[in-house]
Amino acid sequence: MTKDELVEYWLSGSKLDEKTFCNLLKSRDNHWALFMGHIVIEKLLKALVVQNSEEGVAVPRSHDLLLLAQKAHLEVSDRQEDLLDLISTFNINARYPDYKQAFYKKCTNEYTKKRAAEINEVFAWLKNLIQP
C-alpha cells in the first residue's frame, strides 16, 4: 500500500467505528461506547503516524494514545495529554474482566456524556490534522 492508501485505511476504519461509538452512546451501552471511542481515536492517531512519518515506517502495535501521538510527531498540550491518557484507560477497563465490573459501574450516563464530549474534542483536533 502507498502512504496515502494507508492513511485512508486508518481514516476509513475510524469513520466506521465512529458510527458504532454514536450508536452505543444512543443505546446507553456506556462502557462499550467509551471503549469504541478509544478505538476511533487510536485509528486517527495511526493515520497521523503514517502521514507524518517517512515512507515505510511501521505503525506501532500499541493502544497507548499518548505514545501514538508522540510517534505521529504531534505537539500535544497538557490538556490533550491528559485526555489521551484518560481515553487510553477505556481500552483496558472495558477489555479485561478484572477491571470491567468497576468500569461498568463508573460509566453512568453523566460520566459517559462528559467523557464522550472529550472524545469528540480529541476527534475534532486529530481530524483537523489529517491532510486530504
Side-chain angles (χ1 to χ4, degrees), residues 49-106:
V49 168
V50 173
Q51 175 186 286
N52 297 341
S53 298
E54 297 294 322
E55 189 84 34
V57 170
V59 174
R61 291 183 179 255
S62 175
H63 306 293
D64 181 334
L65 302 181
L66 191 53
L67 172 72
L68 292 170
Q70 291 166 348
K71 296 289 185 184
H73 310 290
L74 301 183
E75 286 188 32
V76 179
S77 71
D78 289 343
R79 174 167 170 69
Q80 290 163 332
E81 183 176 324
D82 290 344
L83 289 176
L84 291 173
D85 278 340
L86 173 66
I87 296 167
S88 287
T89 67
F90 303 156
N91 180 51
I92 295 166
N93 290 335
R95 186 179 297 232
Y96 297 104
D98 49 338
Y99 294 104
K100 202 175 205 176
Q101 191 61 28
F103 186 58
Y104 180 79
K105 289 178 183 176
K106 186 178 191 176

Side-chain angles (χ1 to χ4, degrees), residues 17-41 87 90-91 94 103-104 107-109 111-113 115-117 119-120:
D17 292 341
E18 184 190 15
K19 279 184 168 180
T20 303
F21 168 64
C22 291
N23 288 335
L24 289 167
L25 286 172
K26 285 177 191 170
S27 69
R28 295 187 179 205
D29 200 353
N30 294 339
H31 70 293
W32 286 120
L34 295 179
F35 172 79
M36 190 56 64
H38 169 274
I39 298 298
V40 168
I41 300 303
I87 296 167
F90 303 156
N91 180 51
F103 186 58
Y104 180 79
C107 291
T108 63
N109 291 333
Y111 178 85
T112 302
K113 185 177 179 181
R115 301 290 86 90
I119 289 168
N120 286 326

